[in-house]
């Protein structure tokens, strides 16, 4: 005869009940106490005490001694004890006599046993008789039975009945941890579909139910509670709940705990939890371990974990294998892994594949992958499509993709939109996008924003005594931000502003930074500043650097320097260079100087 279930599943069903008046906790008795209690019950049963007979049968049933329990339960049931009738049903169900068990549950349920009504409702649902199941589960739930309320809620939710939440809430309020968890999940889902106060209230209530379920040992609830707390920034408490859930065997919690520890700087502890999660089949943790080993240069171990992630069904594993292969110069393998992830819908893999194809000269093959990635929400792919179309001269299409990427916060895309709007004469839109680019850290964006604001700036007011009153404007602040990020033209402009207010030291510093970074204007201006300070030999060195880089004014200055020194041939050479470089005004002056030097040399 097959035995249906064991003691653990028996208690989990809620079908086993203790008669009223016998509510002593099983966990609080030691073996001697239970033996004494059993002896007391046997003595009382021998005197014909029906309640003692029922309790003794329940004790033996709980112990798993079905043969000893059955006669006691049948005797108590015959005497009209409804708890014994319910427990007799449980015993028969365990022995495989489901229909006979249902008969005794019906007797107990009709007599008012909420537990029996729950068990009978479960029996009918297992048989597919939903109307009968609903009837008995509702009887149980309306009597305040937590398991009955939960089972009714589950049945109604399966049918899409709006009344499910009421009974799920009732079960949760009576301490049913799974009901509390499922109610929290439903509220979480509702928060994602609502706005404003409604969403906030749903999230707050969801957190309360997660907390209740987690406190009762629900590991998934502890995981979700940890996620809510982490999002809020309460990392310490989030870590405690992740730890609780992870210790109970939840791999996602172990993985999340690993990320918290990594962010806190404890990489070694993070790796321990990632290993635990990965060994339990968590692909995200396997990827994290792979990335950790890749950072350490342990590429073989990294590849092993990336493959483990892929085997666990995580497409990031294929993407990361592609990245690893690309870093090692294994282009064919990288393309293979990127394709695998991209075909599975991984948008960043699609973008990486497109870049790889583009680098190989296959722009036609790259375009559809860029499009697929961009349409799936990849901001980088949208920006890359903009570059692709701009390279073909399709400015309208390029701008549309740049705008899509900029709307998602892509700094360089915002810069390109700003430049395009400036070109179209739409200064207001240009400024908006340039501010986004500059605020996102683009040095070019900061410089172009500064030049836009600079062009609007009115002349500075004069002091009563005729001195210029200088207050740092917004455009100067943006110039300085761009300059501090290494933007050479911005450095030159900041130097010019410093020179204008008489700060020679600051001006020289910025000119020098620009010049050393390769700016010919920086080198020329630094030469001017040094010449004015009486350091013409050093100035000539910077003018030489500027002139060699194609700066006509620097070449003219050098021609004048050598002419004054009497080095006429060298002066003539630099004058020739200035004529060639221009601009027109410089070329004209340099031409006159060259002719004069030529006459002097031929005299």
């Amino acid at each position: 005869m097959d035995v249906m279930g064991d003691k653990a599943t028996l208690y989990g069903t809620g079908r086993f009940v203790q008669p009223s008046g016998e509510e002593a906790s099983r966990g609080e008795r030691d073996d001697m106490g239970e033996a004494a209690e059993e002896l007391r019950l046997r003595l009382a049963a021998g005197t014909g005490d029906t309640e003692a007979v029922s309790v003794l049968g329940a004790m033996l049933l709980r112990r798993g001694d079905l043969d000893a329990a059955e006669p006691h339960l049948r005797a108590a049931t015959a005497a009209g004890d409804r708890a014994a009738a319910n427990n007799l049903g449980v015993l028969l169900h365990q022995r495989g006599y489901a229909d006979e068990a249902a008969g005794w549950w019906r007797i107990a349920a009709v007599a008012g046993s909420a537990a029996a009504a729950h068990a009978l409702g479960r029996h009918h649902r297992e048989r597919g008789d939903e109307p009968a199941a609903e009837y008995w589960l509702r009887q149980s739930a309306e009597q305040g039975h937590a398991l009955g309320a939960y089972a009714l809620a589950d049945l109604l939710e399966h049918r899409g009945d709006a009344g499910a939440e009421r009974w799920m809430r009732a079960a949760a309020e009576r301490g049913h941890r799974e009901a509390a968890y499922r109610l929290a999940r439903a509220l979480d889902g509702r928060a994602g579909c609502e706005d404003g106060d409604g969403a906030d209230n749903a999230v707050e209530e969801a957190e309360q139910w997660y907390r209740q379920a987690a406190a009762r040992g629900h590991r998934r609830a502890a995981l979700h509670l940890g996620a809510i707390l982490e999002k809020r920034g309460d990392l310490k408490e989030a870590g405690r709940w992740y730890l609780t859930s992870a210790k109970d065997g939840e791999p996602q919690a172990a993985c999340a705990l690993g990320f918290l520890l990594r962010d806190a700087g404890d990489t070694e502890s993070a790796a321990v939890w990632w290993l635990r999660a990965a060994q339990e089949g968590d692909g995200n943790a396997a990827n994290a371990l792979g990335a950790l080993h890749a950072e350490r240069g342990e590429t073989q171990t990294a590849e092993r974990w990336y493959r483990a992630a892929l085997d666990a069904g995580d497409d990031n594993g294929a993407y990361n294998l592609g990245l690893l292969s690309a870093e090692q110069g294994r282009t064919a393998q990288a393309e293979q892994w990127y394709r695998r992830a991209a075909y599975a819908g991984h948008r960043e893999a699609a973008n990486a594949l497109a870049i790889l194809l583009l680098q190989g000269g296959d722009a036609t093959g790259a375009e559809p992958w860029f499009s697929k990635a961009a349409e799936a929400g990849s901001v980088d792919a949208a920006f890359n499509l903009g570059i692709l179309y701009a390279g073909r001269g399709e400015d309208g299409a390029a701008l549309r993709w740049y705008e899509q990427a900029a709307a998602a916060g892509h700094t360089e895309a915002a810069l390109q939109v700003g430049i395009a709007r400036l070109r179209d004469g739409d200064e207001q839109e240009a400024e908006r996008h340039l501010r986004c680019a500059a605020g996102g850290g683009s040095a070019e964006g900061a410089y172009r924003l500064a030049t836009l604001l600079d062009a609007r700036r009115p002349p500075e007011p004069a002091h009563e005594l005729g001195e210029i009153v200088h207050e740092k404007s917004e455009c100067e602040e943006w110039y300085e931000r761009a300059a501090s990020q290494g933007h050479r033209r911005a450095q030159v402009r900041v130097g010019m502003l410093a020179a204008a207010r008489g700060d020679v030291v600051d001006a020289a510093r910025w000119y020098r930074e620009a010049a050393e970074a390769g700016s010919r204007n920086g080198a020329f201006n630094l030469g001017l500043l040094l010449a004015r300070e009486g350091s013409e030999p050093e100035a000539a060195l910077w003018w030489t650097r500027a002139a060699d880089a194609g700066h006509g004014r620097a070449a003219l200055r050098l021609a004048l320097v050598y002419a004054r020194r009497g080095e006429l041939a060298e002066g003539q050479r630099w004058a020739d260079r200035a004529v060639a470089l221009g601009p027109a005004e410089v070329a004209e002056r340099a031409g006159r100087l060259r002719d004069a030097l030529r006459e002097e040399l031929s005299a």
Side-chain angles (χ1 to χ4, degrees):
M1 184 182 299
D2 292 337
V3 177
M4 295 186 64
D6 54 20
K7 285 189 286 184
T9 57
L10 170 65
Y11 301 138
T13 64
R15 292 170 179 166
F16 179 88
V17 296
Q18 283 281 11
S20 59
E22 296 294 335
E23 297 295 331
S25 170
R26 293 186 295 272
E28 294 177 353
R29 298 196 189 111
D30 56 19
D31 292 341
M32 291 182 62
E34 188 166 344
E37 177 65 8
E38 182 179 345
L39 178 60
R40 185 189 71 76
L41 290 171
R42 287 186 181 279
L43 291 172
T47 66
D49 186 331
T50 300
E51 185 175 0
V53 174
S54 177
V55 174
L56 179 58
M59 177 182 286
L60 294 168
L61 176 61
R62 183 179 67 245
R63 189 184 297 163
D65 191 349
L66 305 187
D67 291 337
E70 185 172 350
H72 292 292
L73 292 175
R74 286 189 180 276
T77 298
D81 189 294
R82 70 184 187 188
N86 177 68
N87 289 336
L88 180 57
V90 172
L91 184 149
L92 292 167
H93 188 273
Q94 287 208 48
R95 282 185 161 169
Y97 302 127
D99 291 335
E100 188 179 351
W104 290 112
W105 282 331
R106 183 181 296 276
I107 290 171
V110 169
S113 171
H118 164 247
L120 187 56
R122 289 279 299 272
H123 169 80
H124 284 298
R125 189 172 184 192
E126 288 165 5
R127 293 293 187 275
D129 188 352
E130 289 199 0
E134 182 181 350
Y135 174 81
W136 289 111
L137 291 175
R138 195 174 292 276
Q139 294 294 317
S140 175
E142 288 175 350
Q143 291 180 64
H145 195 273
L147 290 172
Y150 173 72
L152 177 60
D154 185 67
L155 176 64
L156 295 174
E157 187 177 90
H158 175 71
R159 292 206 311 239
D161 193 312
E165 184 176 326
R166 171 198 167 195
W167 291 111
M168 196 70 77
R169 189 179 296 275
E173 288 170 349
R174 290 166 189 152
H176 194 292
R177 70 180 189 182
E178 184 65 24
Y181 170 70
R182 287 178 62 175
L183 178 59
R185 294 291 291 155
L187 291 165
D188 235 350
R190 184 184 305 164
C193 301
E194 295 183 359
D195 297 319
D197 293 340
D200 292 341
N201 292 337
V203 170
E204 184 177 346
E205 189 180 1
E207 180 184 342
Q208 293 171 0
W209 289 116
Y210 279 136
R211 194 176 290 278
Q212 178 173 310
R216 292 177 177 273
H218 196 294
R219 70 186 195 185
R220 295 288 295 174
L223 167 66
H224 286 283
L225 178 58
I228 288 173
L229 293 165
E230 182 182 1
K231 186 176 181 180
R232 186 192 300 158
D234 193 347
L235 302 184
K236 189 173 182 180
E237 189 180 0
R240 286 200 300 270
W241 285 113
Y242 283 148
L243 179 61
T244 299
S245 180
K247 284 182 175 179
D248 286 341
E250 179 55 53
Q252 288 187 39
C255 180
L257 180 59
F259 282 110
L260 271 190
L261 290 166
R262 182 204 62 182
D263 293 343
D266 190 354
T267 309
E268 295 305 317
S269 296
V272 170
W273 286 106
W274 282 335
L275 178 61
R276 182 168 175 173
Q279 288 173 338
E280 293 178 15
D282 190 283
N284 195 24
N287 272 315
L289 278 173
L292 183 63
H293 287 288
E295 288 173 5
R296 294 172 177 172
E298 301 165 357
T299 54
Q300 289 185 336
T301 307
E303 182 172 342
R304 179 168 61 84
W305 282 114
Y306 288 149
R307 287 181 181 272
L310 186 59
D311 292 340
D314 192 324
D315 296 325
N316 278 315
Y319 173 59
N320 287 330
L321 282 166
L323 291 175
L324 192 65
S325 299
E327 288 172 2
Q328 295 172 337
R330 296 183 291 147
T331 307
Q333 290 89 339
E335 182 179 339
Q336 172 192 343
W337 289 117
Y338 285 150
R339 280 189 186 277
R340 180 167 178 174
Y343 277 121
H346 195 294
R347 65 189 189 191
E348 297 309 325
N351 181 58
L353 174 59
I355 292 172
L356 201 65
L357 293 170
L358 193 62
Q359 289 171 342
D362 187 3
T364 303
E367 184 179 346
W369 286 112
F370 276 138
S371 296
K372 185 175 182 179
E375 288 164 4
S378 171
V379 180
D380 287 337
F383 177 66
N384 289 334
L385 268 175
I387 295 174
L388 190 67
Y389 283 116
R392 295 175 181 171
E394 300 177 37
D395 293 338
L399 182 57
R400 285 194 296 274
W401 285 111
Y402 284 145
E403 286 177 329
Q404 180 172 317
H410 196 287
T411 298
E412 291 304 312
L415 171 62
Q416 294 303 321
V417 176
I419 292 171
R421 295 304 179 203
L422 272 178
R423 190 166 55 242
D424 296 339
D426 187 350
E427 286 196 4
Q428 186 174 357
E429 275 297 294
E431 181 181 344
R432 184 171 72 84
H433 282 94
L434 290 174
R435 283 188 183 278
C436 291
S442 168
E444 183 67 23
Y447 173 73
R448 287 181 179 269
L449 176 59
T451 58
L452 180 63
L453 297 173
D454 205 359
R456 299 176 185 166
R457 187 170 54 162
E460 294 186 347
H463 189 269
E464 290 181 0
L465 298 178
E467 297 176 356
I468 299 296
V469 178
H470 182 84
E471 292 182 3
K472 189 175 290 187
S473 63
E474 186 188 5
C475 74
E476 289 181 71
E477 292 174 355
W478 286 114
Y479 277 135
E480 288 182 2
R481 180 180 294 194
S484 65
Q485 292 175 268
H487 194 285
R488 293 182 300 181
R489 284 179 293 169
Q491 289 170 339
V492 173
R493 183 61 180 150
V494 172
M496 292 171 66
L497 292 169
R501 64 175 177 264
D503 191 344
V504 177
V505 174
D506 202 36
R509 177 173 69 87
W510 285 114
Y511 287 151
R512 192 177 296 276
E513 281 198 34
E516 289 176 348
S519 169
R520 62 188 187 185
N521 283 329
F524 175 70
N525 287 358
L526 179 58
L528 289 178
L529 202 63
L530 291 167
R532 288 172 192 158
E533 295 297 311
S535 301
E536 191 174 82
E538 187 180 355
L541 294 176
W542 288 108
W543 284 333
T544 301
R545 180 181 291 193
D548 286 340
H551 199 288
R553 294 183 187 279
L556 178 57
R557 288 278 176 174
L558 284 170
L560 291 168
V561 167
Y562 285 111
R564 284 198 299 270
R565 291 179 183 174
E567 300 179 30
L568 305 184
E570 189 67 10
Q572 184 181 344
R573 186 176 72 83
W574 282 113
D576 283 336
R577 178 73 170 151
V579 169
L581 293 173
E585 177 192 351
V586 170
E588 183 183 349
R589 291 178 58 195
R592 291 198 300 269
L593 177 59
R594 178 189 59 189
D595 293 341
L597 292 173
R598 185 177 296 148
E599 288 179 9
E600 187 70 22
L601 284 168
S602 62

